[in-house]
């Protein structure tokens, strides 16, 4: 697959995908070229046929995810995530490249491990263009799948272990100046040995503290609606690690409630739900909020009292748990706990101490993914994914969202 | 921000004195690399200095893996610029790259018409970008010497003293050495920290500056406070490689 066109002498070149070097390509017929491509042995990047697909296990931000077996070691499983190459004319998608670079940078027990990148053989079926797969270590469960299974019961020590690993992962990625930007239970994987891994860095990006006093201008169209923090809903573009901590708070509450705590079906409704739980969004509790782009455009309920502890108390008996949640679900991002202070919270340092998840998970031999599990509620969470903004989101059952709400 | 090294400005000054090169006449067998083309195009595209440096490194790494006679050097160079823009989150439009690359090779020609020639080139760049990534096993993140150099220079500023520091352009010279070293593939052979030290050493020697409180002796070099694993002979070797770059510079009429 050598590029055929030649910058110095473009007129002589054939189509851009001429297989051999320029001089040979002139002499090859189309059929010969195809044959050449099919038989071409590319030494740098392994072929995906070294793995055998077993099942489709999910749909990531930029492609399908498969469980696959390593043919040379049938006991070893991997997850393969297809790279969507929609826009050929722009080359390799910058979002995919970002994910790859971020995954190559991050090496941590609580972050999913990228093994390699594979390609399919070019053939007639793919118009002689290879497809690419990111190959990850395989994790048996995802948190959304586990929570939707009533047979899976977490005790307090186990919940602490989940949250501790989750915050450890966040602490690590934030110290490496990476924002995850898509925290949700479905993106939290857990191996059968009980090791938690943050996954799906398809929306992640590097951040830096403002250079030259210039505020960042990141897109605020990130994070699945139900886990989206108030600053993003109000149009903030100069945001940082606290956006992930809000999601961590939502996931923490979900460990007890078993379904997402704020299931809005529009950005407006999400803000309403947040106000009803965390109190009215006002410049008094959140200085500077009045300067956010959408502050005046959104309808923000007034006179709402903060009821985080009160409302979650029926689910979460532990006072330390309630207190930590209260510090994560803080409206003002600058006052929200960061991963480090959350890890230092008494919740993790009082009895029962965090304890191993392996034993509990050993009782469940079947892999549990949200994608495979029966839906937890009538509304389809995926339909709310922000990157799918162009797709119709109204397909979500309008009143169904209410019936299933926790409060 | 007056202390920041403005590499772009440095380059603009240099550019004023330099005659344009006819890249089509260059002989790659004699050690000429498309790095100069990358820098020229990158500058015209107003890419960030680190984006251009990334493109140069990607180009050297690619040609280290393959038989370079099989590829069009300037196509690969243009593609590394496109890829570097994506890697550094400093996106460069492919249309702009094509126009700039075309005009740099065919000086005085107008912008390309949207036609077969344009689309062939565009397709070729997209294909080459993918090829480069695959050959580099998708490992396209680069640790640059720049950030180390900046850190060392900041420390030196305090060490040497404000007055003496502002009297000689150590920082600018070191930055120029570093940028020019990107023309040579041997830049891949040394750790970024060592390269940063060698550039500073050369700059210090150019202006005959010795560091206070450092005794000239055999086993303690000034940089040992920054890097522990740089042997004296390696240090000299890198400095020689940097100086060689200037010998390899093509003559312009």
């Amino acid at each position: 697959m050598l590029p055929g066109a030649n910058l110095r002498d473009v007129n002589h070149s054939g189509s851009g995908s001429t297989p051999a070097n320029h001089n040979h390509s002139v002499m090859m017929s189309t059929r010969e070229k195809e044959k050449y491509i099919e038989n071409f042995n590319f030494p740098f990047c392994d072929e995906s046929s070294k793995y055998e697909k077993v099942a489709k296990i999910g749909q990531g931000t930029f492609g399908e995810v498969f469980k696959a077996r390593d043919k040379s070691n049938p006991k070893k499983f991997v997850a393969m995530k297809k790279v969507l190459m929609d826009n050929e004319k722009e080359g390799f998608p910058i979002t995919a490249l970002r994910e790859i670079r971020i995954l190559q940078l991050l090496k941590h027990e609580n972050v999913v491990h990228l093994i390699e990148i594979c390609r399919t053989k070019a053939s007639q079926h793919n118009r002689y263009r290879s497809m690419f797969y990111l190959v990850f270590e395989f994790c048996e469960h995802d948190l959304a799948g586990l929570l939707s299974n009533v047979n899976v019961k977490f005790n307090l020590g186990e919940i602490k272990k989940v949250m501790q690993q989750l915050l450890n992962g966040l602490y690590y990625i934030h110290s490496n100046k990476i924002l995850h930007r898509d925290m949700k239970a479905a993106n939290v994987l857990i191996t059968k040995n009980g090791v938690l891994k943050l996954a799906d860095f398809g929306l992640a990006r590097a951040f830096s503290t403002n250079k030259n006093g210039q505020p960042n201008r990141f897109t605020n169209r990130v994070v699945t609606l139900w886990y989206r923090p108030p600053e993003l809903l109000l149009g903030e573009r100069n945001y940082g690690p606290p956006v992930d901590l809000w999601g961590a708070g939502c996931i923490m509450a979900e460990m007890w409630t078993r379904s997402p705590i704020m299931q809005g079906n529009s950005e407006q409704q999400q803000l309403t739900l947040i106000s009803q739980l965390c109190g009215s969004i006002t410049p008094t509790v959140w200085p500077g909020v009045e300067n956010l782009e959408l502050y005046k455009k959104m309808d923000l309920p007034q006179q709402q009292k903060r009821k985080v502890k009160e409302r979650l108390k029926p689910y979460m008996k532990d006072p330390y748990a309630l207190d930590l949640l209260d510090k994560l679900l803080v409206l003002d991002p600058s006052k929200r706990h960061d991963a480090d202070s959350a890890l230092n919270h008494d919740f993790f340092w009082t009895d029962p101490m965090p304890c191993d998840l392996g034993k509990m998970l050993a009782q469940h031999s079947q892999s549990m993914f949200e994608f495979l599990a029966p839906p937890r509620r009538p509304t389809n969470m995926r339909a709310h994914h922000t990157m799918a903004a162009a797709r119709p989101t109204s397909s979500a059952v309008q009143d169904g969202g209410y019936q299933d709400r926790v409060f | 921000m007056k202390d920041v090294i403005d590499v772009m400005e440095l380059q603009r000054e240099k550019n004023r004195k330099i005659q344009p090169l006819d890249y089509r006449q260059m002989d790659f067998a004699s050690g000429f690399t498309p790095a100069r083309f990358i820098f020229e195009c990158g500058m015209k595209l107003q890419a960030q200095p680190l984006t251009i440096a990334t493109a140069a490194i990607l180009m050297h790494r690619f040609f280290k893996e393959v038989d370079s006679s099989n590829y069009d050097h300037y196509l690969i160079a243009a593609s590394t610029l496109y890829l570097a823009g994506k890697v550094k989150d400093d996106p460069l439009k492919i249309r702009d790259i094509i126009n700039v690359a075309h005009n740099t090779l065919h000086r005085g020609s107008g912008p390309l018409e949207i036609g077969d020639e344009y689309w062939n080139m565009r397709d070729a760049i997209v294909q080459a970008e993918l090829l480069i990534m695959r050959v580099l096993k998708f490992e396209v993140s680069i640790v640059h010497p720049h950030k180390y150099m900046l850190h060392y220079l900041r420390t030196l500023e305090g060490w040497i003293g404000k007055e003496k520091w502002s009297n000689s352009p150590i920082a600018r010279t070191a930055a120029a050495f570093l940028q020019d070293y990107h023309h040579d593939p041997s830049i891949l052979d040394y750790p970024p920290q060592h390269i940063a030290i060698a550039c500073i050493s050369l700059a210090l020697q150019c202006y005959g500056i010795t560091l206070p409180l450092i005794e000239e002796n055999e086993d303690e070099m000034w940089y040992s406070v920054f890097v522990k694993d740089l042997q004296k002979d390696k240090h000299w070797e890198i400095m020689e490689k940097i100086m060689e770059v200037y010998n390899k510079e093509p003559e312009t009429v």
Side-chain angles (χ1 to χ4, degrees):
Chain A
M1 289 271 287
L2 313 185
N6 176 315
L7 270 184
R8 268 183 293 181
D9 217 352
V10 165
N11 293 328
H12 286 198
S13 64
S15 86
S17 50
T18 24
N21 91 33
H22 175 62
N23 296 327
H24 293 160
S25 68
V26 183
M27 294 175 280
M28 275 189 178
S29 73
T30 312
R31 184 63 212 127
E32 280 171 336
K33 280 184 204 167
E34 288 173 1
K35 200 92 205 126
Y36 178 88
I37 295 174
E38 274 171 39
N39 296 329
F40 190 77
N41 183 23
F42 194 81
F44 301 98
C45 179
D46 276 347
E47 237 183 89
S48 63
S49 59
K50 73 193 250 198
Y51 301 106
E52 176 189 12
K53 280 182 194 165
V54 181
K56 179 168 165 173
I57 50 174
Q59 188 85 46
T61 315
F62 74 82
E64 297 165 303
V65 186
F66 296 93
K67 177 180 180 175
R69 180 186 280 126
D70 188 341
K71 283 181 187 163
S72 67
N73 178 8
K75 282 196 191 106
K76 191 182 151 203
F77 287 95
V78 296
M80 296 173 72
K81 184 168 165 182
K82 194 164 155 186
V83 178
L84 286 183
M85 303 268 283
D86 307 335
N87 201 345
E88 285 171 13
K89 287 278 162 259
E90 296 296 334
F92 200 77
I94 189 169
T95 46
L97 188 61
R98 227 182 236 166
E99 177 167 10
I100 291 168
R101 288 181 43 244
I102 287 171
L103 287 164
Q104 286 169 341
L105 168 77
L106 301 174
K107 298 266 171 271
H108 188 266
E109 152 116 281
N110 298 124
V111 174
V112 73
H113 172 59
L114 177 71
I115 302 169
E116 63 177 333
I117 295 158
C118 274
R119 62 178 172 104
T120 59
K121 230 175 160 38
S123 73
Q124 212 179 340
H125 306 290
N126 50 32
R127 294 182 299 127
Y128 297 95
R129 283 176 197 270
S130 290
M131 280 187 311
F132 293 88
Y133 287 97
L134 309 191
V135 181
F136 296 96
E137 65 180 332
F138 186 72
C139 298
E140 283 73 11
H141 313 285
D142 77 28
L143 191 55
L146 288 172
L147 290 173
S148 65
N149 185 331
V150 286
N151 299 317
V152 179
K153 296 190 171 66
F154 290 96
N155 65 34
L156 187 55
E158 288 158 353
I159 292 179
K160 288 185 184 184
K161 189 71 182 180
V162 169
M163 286 311 294
Q164 193 175 44
Q165 295 186 73
L166 188 141
L167 290 163
N168 254 326
L170 280 182
Y171 176 77
Y172 173 77
I173 69 167
H174 291 163
S175 332
N176 279 285
K177 300 279 178 221
I178 299 291
L179 300 176
H180 185 281
R181 304 202 300 181
D182 198 13
M183 289 298 290
K184 60 177 171 185
N187 284 342
V188 175
L189 307 183
I190 297 182
T191 69
K192 64 174 188 292
N193 301 321
V195 181
L196 177 146
K197 314 263 179 190
L198 298 179
D200 197 346
F201 286 75
L203 287 181
R205 70 160 294 147
F207 70 95
S208 55
T209 26
N210 316 347
K211 284 176 260 173
N212 326 328
Q214 283 264 324
N216 295 315
R217 286 190 55 81
F218 301 150
T219 170
N220 48 39
R221 311 280 302 156
V222 285
V223 191
T224 308
L225 186 59
W226 297 346
Y227 298 86
R228 202 180 299 164
E231 65 267 30
L232 291 182
L233 291 163
L234 289 171
E236 175 69 276
R237 302 184 58 149
N238 182 26
Y239 53 82
V243 298
D244 289 336
L245 272 304
W246 179 271
C250 295
I251 293 171
M252 179 176 177
E254 211 173 318
M255 293 300 298
W256 282 273
T257 64
R258 291 282 180 150
S259 60
I261 55 168
M262 289 178 282
Q263 306 182 17
N265 47 36
S266 64
E267 297 180 8
Q268 174 60 59
Q269 197 195 4
Q270 193 66 27
L271 276 169
T272 307
L273 291 172
I274 290 174
S275 305
Q276 285 165 357
L277 179 65
C278 303
S280 293
I281 298 172
T282 63
T284 324
V285 296
W286 181 355
V289 67
E290 66 277 15
N291 301 324
L292 293 181
E293 211 174 305
L294 301 176
Y295 176 72
K296 294 211 166 61
K297 297 199 180 107
M298 289 294 201
D299 182 20
L300 298 174
Q302 296 302 303
Q303 315 297 331
Q304 296 289 326
K305 263 180 52 199
R306 188 173 170 84
K307 310 184 191 88
V308 175
K309 288 189 177 178
E310 186 188 324
R311 277 209 156 145
L312 270 307
K313 208 173 223 159
Y315 300 91
M316 311 164 59
K317 306 279 187 294
D318 185 71
Y320 294 111
L322 282 169
D323 190 66
L324 175 57
L325 181 69
D326 194 45
K327 295 196 155 73
L328 291 172
L329 295 181
V330 170
L331 292 171
D332 183 348
S334 67
K335 298 194 193 96
R336 208 171 291 153
H337 258 24
D338 62 11
D340 185 46
S341 46
L343 283 166
N344 285 328
H345 192 276
D346 287 344
F347 177 60
F348 297 110
W349 306 98
T350 45
D351 280 331
M353 290 295 277
C355 70
D356 190 55
L357 302 165
K359 251 193 220 112
M360 183 272 282
L361 291 169
Q363 302 162 13
H364 307 280
S365 55
Q366 252 195 332
S367 196
M368 273 168 275
F369 284 104
E370 196 212 16
F371 182 75
L372 303 172
R376 281 188 285 177
R377 58 239 145 213
T379 37
N380 178 6
M381 198 156 112
R382 262 166 242 291
H384 286 284
H385 204 291
T386 51
M387 292 311 272
R391 282 186 242 150
T393 50
S394 53
S395 63
V397 187
Q398 278 281 313
D399 47 0
Y402 288 99
Q403 291 166 10
D404 213 31
R405 200 153 306 123
V406 180
F407 306 114
Chain B
M1 300 304 292
K2 66 172 171 42
D3 297 332
V4 170
I5 308 154
D6 189 351
V7 183
M8 304 283 279
E9 178 55 36
L10 215 64
Q11 191 62 28
R12 273 194 288 276
E13 274 183 25
K14 245 179 88 188
N15 266 351
R16 279 198 277 276
K17 294 170 228 148
I18 287 177
Q19 293 294 313
L21 209 60
D22 186 355
Y23 288 103
R24 290 171 300 176
Q25 307 295 322
M26 298 314 297
D27 174 19
F28 290 101
S30 69
F32 181 75
T33 71
R36 173 129 167 203
F37 179 76
I38 290 178
F39 275 94
E40 185 174 341
C41 291
M43 232 80 69
K44 288 174 174 172
L45 289 160
Q46 298 185 321
Q48 296 295 315
L50 278 183
T51 307
I52 306 176
T54 300
I57 297 288
L58 291 173
M59 180 274 296
H60 288 310
R61 283 179 51 199
F62 177 78
F63 283 121
K64 196 177 165 189
E65 298 289 340
V66 300
D67 176 357
S68 68
S69 64
N70 278 339
Y71 299 89
D72 181 88
H73 289 70
Y74 300 119
L75 168 63
I76 297 300
S79 306
T80 56
L81 269 171
Y82 188 43
L83 178 55
K86 291 182 184 178
V87 170
K88 286 286 164 191
D89 257 310
D90 173 25
L92 304 171
K93 286 206 188 78
I94 192 163
R95 171 97 234 233
D96 295 344
I97 291 179
I98 291 172
N99 281 334
V100 166
H102 186 261
N103 183 270
T104 305
L105 287 171
H106 308 272
R107 297 197 191 273
S109 68
L112 268 183
E113 298 281 324
I114 303 272
D116 276 354
E117 189 176 353
Y118 171 79
W119 286 111
N120 280 343
M121 231 187 220
R122 182 162 179 150
D123 204 30
I125 289 180
V126 164
Q127 292 275 331
E129 176 201 49
L130 200 51
L131 175 75
I132 294 164
M133 265 193 289
R134 288 167 63 167
V135 167
L136 300 181
K137 297 191 167 65
F138 291 86
E139 283 155 20
V140 290
S141 302
I142 288 155
V143 182
H144 296 281
H146 301 68
K147 63 175 176 184
Y148 293 102
M149 198 170 81
L150 201 62
H151 167 69
Y152 302 153
L153 286 170
R154 284 227 180 264
T155 313
L156 283 182
E157 185 179 0
W159 192 346
I160 290 175
K162 265 244 167 345
E163 198 183 340
K164 202 167 166 193
W165 182 261
S166 51
N167 284 338
S168 44
I170 298 297
R172 297 176 59 134
T173 313
F177 284 137
L178 177 56
Q179 174 165 312
D180 291 342
Y181 192 34
H182 282 77
H183 289 249
D184 197 86
S186 69
I187 191 169
L188 303 179
D189 301 339
Y190 308 101
Q193 297 90 327
H194 294 182
I195 293 171
I197 292 290
C199 292
I200 299 173
S201 285
L202 261 185
L204 290 173
Q205 296 200 358
C206 280
Y207 293 94
I209 291 179
T210 46
L211 293 164
L213 310 172
I214 285 284
E215 304 243 350
E216 285 287 330
N217 71 43
E218 283 302 305
D219 22 72
E220 269 301 295
M221 295 296 284
W222 66 270
Y223 52 77
S224 58
V225 292
F226 298 124
V227 289
K228 292 272 173 271
D229 56 344
L230 178 53
Q231 305 304 323
K232 216 171 168 179
D233 50 342
K234 271 279 170 227
H235 180 229
W236 275 105
E237 185 182 311
I238 305 173
M239 290 203 292
E240 274 168 14
K241 290 270 166 76
I242 296 171
M243 288 188 288
E244 270 171 44
V245 171
Y246 299 94
N247 298 331
K248 290 184 195 162
E249 199 181 349
E251 300 282 328
T252 46
V253 200

